[in-house]
């Protein structure tokens, strides 16, 4: 019922920028928390950014100052603006949302992931 679609990844050079988008659709009462994770094959998946319904944000130390998370509630969309990309930022970036459905309960949904590759 709930779908999460990501876009914006690609192949870029060291120091360039990208903006990732994640749009949620379906019968959603409200979106409480939206997160961005990243995972490199053979490495641990990590939480890189989080934004709450009130607009509070949190970032992993490794991306602080370079990544900015934001949301457009009218579009049920979360963005991740990335500047000064480094080769170590390479990985699959996943959008995760915590939503409240009309049954009164909260659920977690994941996007399919979008690949970010930073060349040196």
């Amino acid at each position: 019922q709930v779908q999460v679609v990501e876009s914006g990844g690609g192949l870029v050079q060291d120091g360039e920028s990208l903006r990732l988008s994640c749009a949620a659709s379906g019968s959603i009462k409200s979106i409480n928390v939206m997160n961005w994770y990243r995972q490199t094959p053979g490495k641990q998946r990590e939480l890189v950014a989080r934004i709450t319904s009130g607009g509070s944000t949190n970032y992993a130390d490794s991306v602080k100052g370079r990544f900015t998370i934001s949301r457009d509630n009218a579009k049920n969309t979360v963005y991740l603006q990335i500047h000064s990309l480094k080769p170590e930022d390479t990985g699959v970036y996943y959008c995760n949302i915590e939503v409240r459905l009309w049954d009164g309960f909260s659920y977690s949904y994941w996007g399919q992931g979008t690949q970010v590759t930073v060349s040196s």
Side-chain angles (χ1 to χ4, degrees):
Q1 294 182 7
V2 176
Q3 294 180 326
V4 181
V5 180
E6 300 162 329
S7 61
L11 175 62
V12 299
Q13 293 181 333
D14 192 352
E16 293 185 337
S17 300
L18 282 174
R19 190 179 79 157
L20 309 183
S21 299
C22 171
S25 62
S27 185
I28 301 171
K29 186 176 183 179
S30 63
I31 300 178
N32 299 321
V33 179
M34 309 181 86
N35 306 289
W36 283 100
Y37 289 79
R38 71 182 176 192
Q39 185 168 21
T40 299
K43 296 182 176 64
Q44 193 78 22
R45 180 180 295 187
E46 62 176 338
L47 175 66
V48 298
R50 169 175 292 177
I51 186 167
T52 70
S53 60
S56 298
T57 59
N58 291 282
Y59 300 94
D61 289 340
S62 60
V63 308
K64 194 170 297 182
R66 299 186 298 116
F67 288 25
T68 301
I69 188 171
S70 61
R71 61 191 290 171
D72 185 335
N73 292 331
K75 297 180 179 180
N76 283 342
T77 300
V78 61
Y79 304 95
L80 188 67
Q81 182 69 52
I82 311 174
H83 296 290
S84 301
L85 278 161
K86 306 174 182 179
E88 51 263 44
D89 293 320
T90 294
V92 180
Y93 284 71
Y94 294 93
C95 178
N96 168 259
I97 62 170
E98 179 184 327
V99 305
R100 195 170 193 89
L101 302 186
W102 292 100
D103 61 4
F105 294 98
S106 295
Y107 299 86
S108 180
Y109 294 92
W110 292 85
Q112 81 286 353
T114 184
Q115 177 71 43
V116 173
T117 303
V118 185
S119 64
S120 59

